[in-house]
Amino acid sequence: MDAVSKLCVMSPPGLSQKSMLYRLGGFAAGHPWRVLAGWAVVIALVVGLWAAFGEGTSDDITIPGMPSQQALDLLEERFPEQAGGRAVAVFATSDGTMSDTPNAEAVRATLDRIGRLDGVAQVIDPFGPAASLLQSPDGTVAYAQILYDRGAREVTPEQIDDLFATGDPAREAGLEVGFGGQVVERTEPEQARTAELVGLAVAVAVLLIAFGSVIAMGAPLLGALLGVGVGMLLIGLLASVMDVMSVAPTMASMIGIAVGIDYALFVVTRHRQHLAFGHGVVESVALATHSAGRSVLFAGVTVVISMLGLTLVGIPLIASMGVAVAITVSVAVLVAITFLPALLGLIGTNIDRLRTPGIKVRAEIDPDSPTAWSARWARSVTRHPWRALAIGVPLLLVLAIPAASLLTGWPDARNRPQDSPPRVAFDLLTRGFGIGANAPLLVVMNLDDAEQDAAATVSGALAELPGVSSTTPPLPNEEGTAAIVQVTPDSGPEDEATEDLVRAIRDQADLEESTGARIDVTGATAFYIDISQRLNDRLPIFIAAVVSLSFLLLTAVFRAPVVAAKAAVMNLLGIGAAYGVVVAVFQWGWAKDLIGLEQTVPIISFLPMGLFAVLFGLSMDYEVFILSRIREAWIVDHDNESAIVHGLSASARVITAAAAIMFAVFASFVAGDSAEIKMFGLGLAVAVLLDATVIRMLVVPASMKVLGNANWWIPNWLDRLLPNLDIEGSEADEELDPPPPTPHPTETASA
């Protein structure tokens, strides 16, 4: 009997004592109603806890230890009335000046409506004492400052919509009106639900093509939806003990759907294969859970490790996103090894009922058959490995070249749609006051130990700094223990010159020593600069930690440090290529018109780390599934080339199906209105495409063929030191060689 047949027909005698997953899968399939009832109890409990203690998300970003956070803390302590969120209402006229009576009356009518809004604490009138600062030199543009009694992240989308509606009187009077500032600009277009629906629609189509059966399609989809649903409830509970980033549920649901379908695909595929070879339903499910379930378990662990690595950033809100995704992925793993086996046991031999017209049901009894396209491809690659490497590796390296010029920042309102209120406000402020009006810096002075007139001295010195357009007179608090000065730079929020100015203001040790005043800088612009700095500083640590832990886990699972190192390198190449494509499109402007991008933008500061966390975990998913199939064949007959062909051909269809689903989901983000959403969508889509094609179909099998038996070398001391996780239960399976049962006639015919 050849290795493939042996692997396909293994039966479980003696295995039950060695494989917990085999016993778990067998119990779930044999007692499906008990398991489903258990899940019903768990869901009811989680729903109850969520109803009692669940909380909503928050975007109250804090960066402990960073200068802007220290300044904000001082502002909240000494100027509580100034510490809330800020917005601006900008007005412009093409007929006369803003001081003309009709224009002024229209503006005041709008400001009166703003002042009555819930949460608005103060409105600074551009026609009041600050008129000289709030009206443009030519008088055609004016803006009002709006102070809220709560943080910018605490202002609800409904309150922002109410703010936008107040501009109607001014618009009716013929004025241009825009609303900007940190309160407004933190909102994002709502398109997450659309992406999810697109993903689900594509998933249905791909699963129908892959399985040719409505029932076989429905099982993975139902499991994925269950996992995401429970995950969302648990994230609500998480929000009761820590602040959870508003985008966390969206990221968690998207990744949860992707991995949930991935995991279920592998379990269902192995189950149908065992059924086709004549195993009973319970035994088939048990074997599928024993083999594919182990791969699912480890793949899930790698994703969880990658996402929990975000806790190393030192920004609690970003860490919360990592925890939220890790929770959802963990639930997806539990669903795949408990709920799904129970569902398959309940379905029984009806797994291929309700067949899709025109699509042949395939159980892939022998994926190594010479007629299988995946087997033909695998043999071609292993026959010409250097040719495959010469194509795949240079392609990835070339795509990664733009990443060397990656510049991070925080895209400003210039990147919003032209008719959106933040973009209108940005353009009007730039027209009237210069682009620096969109990047105000708030300097907070601690005057506890300061000399008399220290605030005025500091304000005057700041006005003389290069890159400063203007400064406001110092505003002291009632106690005289602190003062604030608003500094308007010559440059915009995204410009490197603005970052240089922030550093220059902070680097005023001589001024602090001479006046006794402690100087700190905060505001939205300074805050984002500090976030970018923190993320850039922690990125190498994050990458090193995730790669190291994944390497150790892969080595422990496959007993092959060479394979583990190669997997890490392949994943880094794929992620580097994704970085390069994102930089080429968004920073260099290549093909930007094709994705609806009006102008080049810096790469959002969180993208390198966020993309790495998601992609390294998902890439490891595919790596684990392929390597597990290769290793199970290697254990049987120690034929490296034969094992590679088996692993690639046996997993090609299902990995292609899973990648198609994820690609469609992530690509749908590219249609979003915000540059940030487009970036993540393009980066994820490109990485998944490259991973499923160039890396898994070319580079991985070719490199393993070149390395030969060295793939499976491990030093004796390391072998003794590492725990034996035995991902596929291969040691137990190696002992089994029963006569093959007779395949089901229906499956034999369709295969």
Side-chain angles (χ1 to χ4, degrees):
M1 184 187 307
D2 64 18
V4 175
S5 298
K6 184 177 179 180
L7 288 166
C8 291
V9 304
M10 295 175 196
S11 62
L15 188 60
S16 62
Q17 300 301 315
K18 299 184 180 183
S19 173
M20 180 192 69
L21 286 175
Y22 174 84
R23 297 196 302 271
L24 180 61
F27 175 83
H31 306 86
W33 290 113
R34 294 186 187 181
V35 176
L36 295 179
W39 269 101
V41 171
V42 170
I43 293 171
L45 179 62
V46 173
V47 169
L49 291 173
W50 175 81
F53 305 106
E55 298 285 346
T57 59
S58 170
D59 283 335
D60 187 15
I61 298 178
T62 60
I63 41 178
M66 296 301 285
S68 58
Q69 185 65 55
Q70 296 171 357
L72 183 61
D73 294 340
L74 180 64
L75 187 66
E76 292 177 344
E77 177 188 343
R78 306 290 176 88
F79 293 90
E81 73 281 359
Q82 296 283 335
R86 295 171 178 252
V88 294
V90 190
F91 309 89
T93 180
S94 57
D95 184 17
T97 68
M98 294 303 305
S99 298
D100 295 342
T101 300
N103 294 334
E105 289 179 349
V107 170
R108 287 196 173 97
T110 294
L111 300 183
D112 182 64
R113 297 176 68 178
I114 293 174
R116 295 195 298 267
L117 294 177
D118 178 43
V120 174
Q122 183 182 3
V123 179
I124 301 177
D125 194 328
F127 305 109
S132 61
L133 298 173
L134 303 181
Q135 292 189 36
S136 64
D138 63 3
T140 61
V141 182
Y143 71 96
Q145 293 187 345
I146 305 166
L147 303 182
Y148 282 80
D149 60 7
R150 62 204 68 181
R153 305 291 175 174
E154 298 174 4
V155 180
T156 67
E158 292 76 18
Q159 290 174 316
I160 295 174
D161 290 339
D162 291 340
L163 176 63
F164 292 164
T166 62
D168 291 342
R171 294 190 186 94
E172 293 170 359
L175 300 179
E176 294 180 79
V177 183
F179 296 92
Q182 62 184 143
V183 168
V184 174
E185 293 178 10
R186 60 97 177 173
T187 60
E188 297 290 351
E190 293 290 335
Q191 67 111 38
R193 299 283 80 82
T194 301
E196 290 178 351
L197 292 175
V198 169
L200 289 175
V202 173
V204 170
V206 172
L207 291 172
L208 282 175
I209 295 173
F211 291 140
S213 162
V214 174
I215 294 179
M217 174 275 295
L221 201 61
L222 182 60
L225 292 175
L226 172 65
V228 169
V230 174
M232 293 301 100
L233 294 173
L234 291 175
I235 291 172
L237 289 177
L238 178 68
S240 66
V241 296
M242 65 182 298
D243 288 335
V244 175
M245 198 173 188
S246 62
V247 300
T250 298
M251 290 293 293
S253 66
M254 300 302 291
I255 295 172
I257 289 174
V259 301
I261 293 175
D262 272 12
Y263 300 161
L265 269 173
F266 284 93
V267 174
V268 173
T269 297
R270 295 299 288 264
H271 168 58
R272 294 175 71 242
Q273 186 180 66
H274 290 304
L275 281 180
F277 272 89
H279 289 294
V281 172
V282 174
E283 181 180 330
S284 175
V285 174
L287 287 170
T289 309
H290 161 69
S291 57
R294 288 175 178 264
S295 300
V296 165
L297 188 61
F298 179 71
V301 170
T302 61
V303 177
V304 169
I305 288 175
S306 295
M307 299 311 304
L308 291 182
L310 293 177
T311 59
L312 301 174
V313 177
I315 302 176
L317 211 60
I318 292 178
S320 74
M321 189 182 77
V323 175
V325 174
I327 288 173
T328 306
V329 172
S330 299
V331 175
V333 171
L334 291 175
V335 168
I337 62 177
T338 59
F339 174 85
L340 185 61
L343 185 61
L344 294 176
L346 194 64
I347 293 172
T349 58
N350 298 314
I351 186 71
D352 289 325
R353 294 290 179 85
L354 300 180
R355 298 186 178 184
T356 308
I359 298 178
K360 183 186 294 185
V361 177
R362 297 184 59 189
E364 293 197 79
I365 297 174
D366 186 3
D368 289 345
S369 168
T371 61
W373 71 265
S374 55
R376 294 196 302 270
W377 177 266
R379 291 191 177 89
S380 175
V381 172
T382 54
R383 280 197 302 267
H384 309 283
W386 289 109
R387 183 185 302 174
L389 290 174
I391 296 172
V393 174
L395 176 61
L396 294 173
L397 292 175
V398 169
L399 290 175
I401 289 175
S405 62
L406 187 150
L407 295 175
T408 61
W410 220 274
D412 54 40
R414 279 179 291 187
N415 307 299
R416 300 293 185 89
Q418 288 188 342
D419 59 348
S420 66
R423 173 66 181 275
V424 173
F426 188 100
D427 292 342
L428 293 179
L429 282 174
T430 301
R431 183 201 307 175
F433 303 90
I435 194 171
N438 295 284
L441 306 174
L442 200 62
V443 177
V444 186
M445 291 174 274
N446 187 335
L447 304 177
D448 285 340
D449 302 317
E451 300 178 352
Q452 190 175 6
D453 297 327
T457 302
V458 170
S459 179
L462 296 178
E464 298 298 321
L465 289 176
V468 173
S469 175
S470 64
T471 60
T472 63
L475 175 65
N477 64 347
E478 293 182 359
E479 297 81 9
T481 59
I484 55 177
V485 174
Q486 181 171 297
V487 177
T488 301
D490 289 329
S491 49
E494 294 181 1
D495 299 334
E496 190 174 351
T498 304
E499 185 174 347
D500 294 337
L501 177 59
V502 171
R503 293 196 183 98
I505 294 174
R506 289 170 174 167
D507 190 24
Q508 295 293 316
D510 293 343
L511 183 61
E512 289 182 324
E513 184 177 353
S514 64
T515 61
R518 194 187 77 198
I519 304 171
D520 290 310
V521 186
T522 190
T525 301
F527 218 82
Y528 287 135
I529 290 172
D530 285 349
I531 290 176
S532 298
Q533 186 64 51
R534 172 65 64 85
L535 290 170
N536 290 338
D537 291 345
R538 298 295 174 87
L539 182 60
I541 300 173
F542 168 76
I543 292 176
V546 171
V547 173
S548 299
L549 287 174
S550 298
F551 170 79
L552 291 174
L553 281 172
L554 277 175
T555 301
V557 167
F558 296 109
R559 324 305 294 180
V562 174
V563 167
K566 176 190 65 63
V569 172
M570 295 298 102
N571 290 342
L572 292 174
L573 281 175
I575 294 171
Y579 284 174
V581 173
V582 171
V583 170
V585 174
F586 289 88
Q587 195 174 302
W588 293 3
W590 291 7
K592 63 181 176 62
D593 294 337
L594 296 178
I595 64 169
L597 189 68
E598 296 181 5
Q599 59 187 11
T600 59
V601 297
I603 306 304
I604 186 173
S605 300
F606 177 64
L607 183 129
M609 186 173 291
L611 271 184
F612 188 93
V614 175
L615 293 176
F616 196 86
L618 294 180
S619 297
M620 275 300 181
D621 272 8
Y622 295 156
E623 188 77 25
V624 167
F625 290 128
I626 290 178
L627 289 179
S628 62
R629 298 304 291 264
I630 294 176
R631 185 175 183 264
E632 71 178 5
W634 163 261
I635 290 293
V636 174
D637 57 15
H638 290 76
D639 185 332
N640 183 65
E641 182 171 347
S642 175
I644 295 170
V645 172
H646 168 76
L648 183 60
S649 59
S651 58
R653 285 183 71 241
V654 69
I655 286 179
T656 300
I661 293 170
M662 281 199 287
F663 176 81
V665 171
F666 297 144
S668 67
F669 279 98
V670 180
D673 290 330
S674 98
E676 296 95 317
I677 292 177
K678 290 179 182 289
M679 281 183 202
F680 270 99
L682 182 64
L684 291 169
V686 168
V688 168
L689 179 63
L690 292 174
D691 194 89
T693 54
V694 178
I695 294 177
R696 305 303 159 205
M697 300 297 286
L698 279 176
V699 181
V700 168
S703 61
M704 293 190 73
K705 173 61 185 302
V706 171
L707 291 169
N709 290 341
N711 287 303
W712 314 108
W713 169 83
I714 184 172
N716 291 331
W717 65 267
L718 183 59
D719 192 31
R720 292 191 300 269
L721 182 64
L722 293 172
N724 190 354
L725 303 181
D726 190 26
I727 192 169
E728 288 292 338
S730 303
E731 293 181 355
D733 293 345
E734 189 177 16
E735 303 169 0
L736 307 172
D737 190 7
T742 303
H744 290 296
T746 56
E747 295 296 346
T748 302
S750 62

